[in-house]
Amino acid sequence: MELKEFLDFVKTGKALNTPEIYEFMDRMSDEARKITFELNSSYHEADEVRELLSRLFGKPVDPTFKVFPPLYADFGKNITVGKNVFINACCHFQDHGGVVIGDGCQIGHNVVFATLDHGITPEDRRNTYPAPIVLGKRVWVGSNSTITKGVTIGDNSIVAAGAVVTKDVPANCIVGGVPAKIIKRIE
């Protein structure tokens, strides 16, 4: 299996459960860990961080993109980041299903992006199902939040620290709690 074939397959939302897919995911995970270990093992200037992230993502990142390592990814090749994005330390990307971060987003410490979920029934529990996470423009995600698969967060919205976002968030809202609910509309 090659990257394009895998990325096309995850768009279907079908279970990632064949030997070919498992082998591909293991290979990609090894590659992502090598790059993130290099990123996280010592100090790097901002340009070096962006170069490592370009390798991890498989495409160039914008010069305005800023990350405070460590950063963790178990796939890496399905992350897209806009301009003027800041990601604070200790964020985790389970990006098989895709993570898109729009222009001007700010991501707090220790945020988890989880684009895979297991089947619910015991017979289906070993299977994983992908769906993308999409952040609009100027979204602020507070520290220790978790965004789950299939969630879209609208432009200008805020995710309060510690929230677990399991459903789409409209634009111009503040959400918080477990599971996250709308707390306030931003005027």
Side-chain angles (χ1 to χ4, degrees):
M1 176 167 274
E2 296 300 321
L3 181 60
K4 182 180 180 336
E5 182 182 0
F6 178 82
L7 294 176
D8 287 343
F9 183 82
V10 297
K11 289 176 186 173
T12 70
K14 294 178 184 175
L16 305 177
N17 64 357
T18 68
E20 182 182 26
I21 289 173
Y22 289 148
E23 185 279 327
F24 177 78
M25 289 171 64
D26 284 346
R27 185 166 31 103
M28 297 305 291
S29 180
D30 286 345
E31 182 180 322
R33 280 197 312 273
K34 286 177 188 175
I35 296 168
T36 57
F37 286 178
E38 184 178 350
L39 171 70
N40 299 333
S41 66
S42 64
Y43 176 79
H44 299 280
E45 296 290 334
D47 287 342
E48 295 172 304
V49 170
R50 284 190 292 275
E51 172 56 34
L52 287 163
L53 292 173
S54 293
R55 281 180 36 214
L56 178 65
F57 299 171
K59 55 190 165 254
V61 298
D62 193 82
T64 61
F65 178 38
K66 186 163 188 164
V67 172
F68 286 174
L71 177 139
Y72 305 94
D74 60 0
F75 185 68
K77 298 295 189 272
N78 209 0
I79 301 171
T80 302
V81 177
K83 296 178 181 177
N84 297 304
V85 169
F86 173 70
I87 298 176
N88 219 322
C90 299
C91 289
H92 297 254
F93 290 81
Q94 181 198 54
D95 63 289
H96 297 82
V99 176
V100 177
I101 300 175
D103 294 345
C105 287
Q106 299 176 70
I107 311 300
H109 290 90
N110 207 37
V111 171
V112 174
F113 294 89
T115 67
L116 296 178
D117 203 355
H118 292 272
I120 294 173
T121 65
E123 303 78 32
D124 194 31
R125 205 159 290 152
R126 188 173 193 298
N127 293 324
T128 54
Y129 295 88
I133 294 169
V134 179
L135 274 58
K137 294 179 181 177
R138 298 170 302 280
V139 171
W140 173 20
V141 180
S143 296
N144 296 304
S145 296
T146 298
I147 316 296
T148 62
K149 76 171 194 149
V151 168
T152 296
I153 300 176
D155 293 350
N156 306 313
S157 287
I158 298 171
V159 175
V164 176
V165 185
T166 61
K167 293 184 173 25
D168 289 353
V169 175
N172 303 302
C173 287
I174 300 172
V175 297
V178 179
K181 295 182 179 359
I182 295 174
I183 297 170
K184 180 180 180 179
R185 304 258 180 207
I186 299 171
E187 303 296 325

